Amino acid sequence: MSITRKAKYSVAIADDHVLVRKALGRLINTFADYFILFEASNGEEVIKIINNRELQLPDILILDVNMPGMNGYETATWINNHFPQIKVLALSMLNDESVIIKMLKSGAKGYIMKNVEPDDLKEAFDSIIKKDFYLPDYISGKVISGLQKDVLSLSEKIELTPKEKTFLQFLCTELSYKEIAQKMFVSPRTIDDYKSSLCDKLKVKTRVGLVIFGIRYGLIDINTD
């Protein structure tokens, strides 16, 4: 599809379903300021195209979470390590906290469901470009309220205890709260206290909200498990 207007931002799509890729491509080419740069069917193909391209890198990579071969987690991690300037937007049918957390921990800048309206996808693009992050409220309810810079300055000092920092790091894993308690050698009641304290300090309501905040503001090391 030819682009007659001058679009500002390039978008790549990685999804193993051809119809999904083609439909997304046609839709995105109608968005003001965005155009499709390339399409790929899996992570290996994304890497091959990016490594062999003589043209520009995509500004945004829409990345399906579940793909054969190199999946979304692995591909996002590779992109984050080699081309962190590419903003990964995870795409999935799964509204699951563990999946969302794992994709964000792998370096994704946002997460969106496959059944969203076109306006929501455009909103996701705009947010990732302007704010470097996007997560819609419907994913886990109102998961975070203090994410925007005008609510919380990045320079504002957040005082966490060593135990709270350790707990926040464990939240990035697939461990249950009971398993985290065992790892930290504390009672489940103490873990509840850590969660309540962090939710109060960071102005969030859920586990995924805590993880999002921790990643967004550098309170979590995404290179460790």
Side-chain angles (χ1 to χ4, degrees), residues 66-84:
N66 294 312
M67 296 182 291
M70 194 171 186
N71 61 32
Y73 308 117
E74 297 164 335
T75 308
T77 298
W78 187 90
I79 293 291
N80 190 49
N81 289 335
H82 294 85
F83 296 97

Side-chain angles (χ1 to χ4, degrees), residues 18-220:
V18 177
L19 289 178
V20 172
R21 292 202 310 271
K22 298 302 181 184
L24 275 174
R26 288 192 294 270
L27 173 64
I28 291 165
N29 275 333
T30 68
F31 291 168
D33 295 332
Y34 298 96
F35 69 97
I36 292 296
L37 189 64
F38 69 81
E39 300 173 7
S41 60
N42 54 45
E44 290 94 337
E45 191 173 346
V46 168
I47 291 173
K48 182 178 179 181
I49 293 173
I50 288 177
N51 278 335
N52 292 334
R53 283 188 73 83
E54 295 180 358
L55 300 177
Q56 69 189 89
L57 293 172
D59 295 299
I60 297 173
L61 170 62
I62 301 178
L63 192 58
D64 188 14
V65 174
N66 294 312
M67 296 182 291
M70 194 171 186
N71 61 32
Y73 308 117
E74 297 164 335
T75 308
T77 298
W78 187 90
I79 293 291
N80 190 49
N81 289 335
H82 294 85
F83 296 97
Q85 66 270 42
I86 298 175
K87 302 176 189 296
V88 173
L89 175 62
L91 181 70
S92 179
M93 289 298 297
L94 301 173
N95 181 10
D96 182 88
E97 282 195 347
S98 64
V99 176
I100 298 167
I101 289 171
K102 191 171 181 179
M103 278 305 297
L104 294 174
K105 192 170 185 289
S106 297
K109 299 293 186 182
Y111 192 101
I112 196 166
M113 302 289 290
K114 285 188 175 182
N115 60 353
V116 297
E117 295 292 332
D119 287 347
D120 294 325
L121 181 61
K122 174 64 161 54
E123 179 186 349
F125 286 175
D126 291 344
S127 181
I128 285 180
I129 291 294
K130 296 174 183 177
K131 302 175 183 177
D132 205 41
F133 190 82
Y134 177 77
L135 189 73
D137 291 343
Y138 64 76
I139 287 217
S140 293
K142 194 72 174 176
V143 296
I144 190 164
S145 62
L147 194 58
Q148 307 306 330
K149 292 183 182 180
D150 58 349
V151 177
L152 176 66
S153 170
L154 288 173
S155 62
E156 182 176 336
K157 190 170 181 60
I158 302 170
E159 295 289 351
L160 300 184
T161 68
K163 289 290 187 181
E164 287 173 340
K165 291 178 181 178
T166 300
F167 173 65
L168 192 57
Q169 190 70 48
F170 273 126
L171 288 182
C172 264
T173 70
E174 297 179 358
L175 295 175
S176 66
Y177 287 117
K178 183 178 179 180
E179 290 169 332
I180 293 173
Q182 293 172 345
K183 289 280 188 181
M184 295 184 67
F185 303 103
V186 297
S187 69
R189 176 62 183 271
T190 300
I191 290 297
D192 287 340
D193 291 341
Y194 290 157
K195 182 184 177 183
S196 295
S197 175
L198 283 173
C199 285
D200 287 342
K201 288 181 179 180
L202 305 184
K203 302 295 187 298
V204 298
K205 299 178 181 180
T206 66
R207 176 172 180 162
V208 68
L210 289 171
V211 172
I212 292 165
F213 194 105
I215 293 173
R216 182 74 171 87
Y217 290 99
L219 301 175
I220 290 173

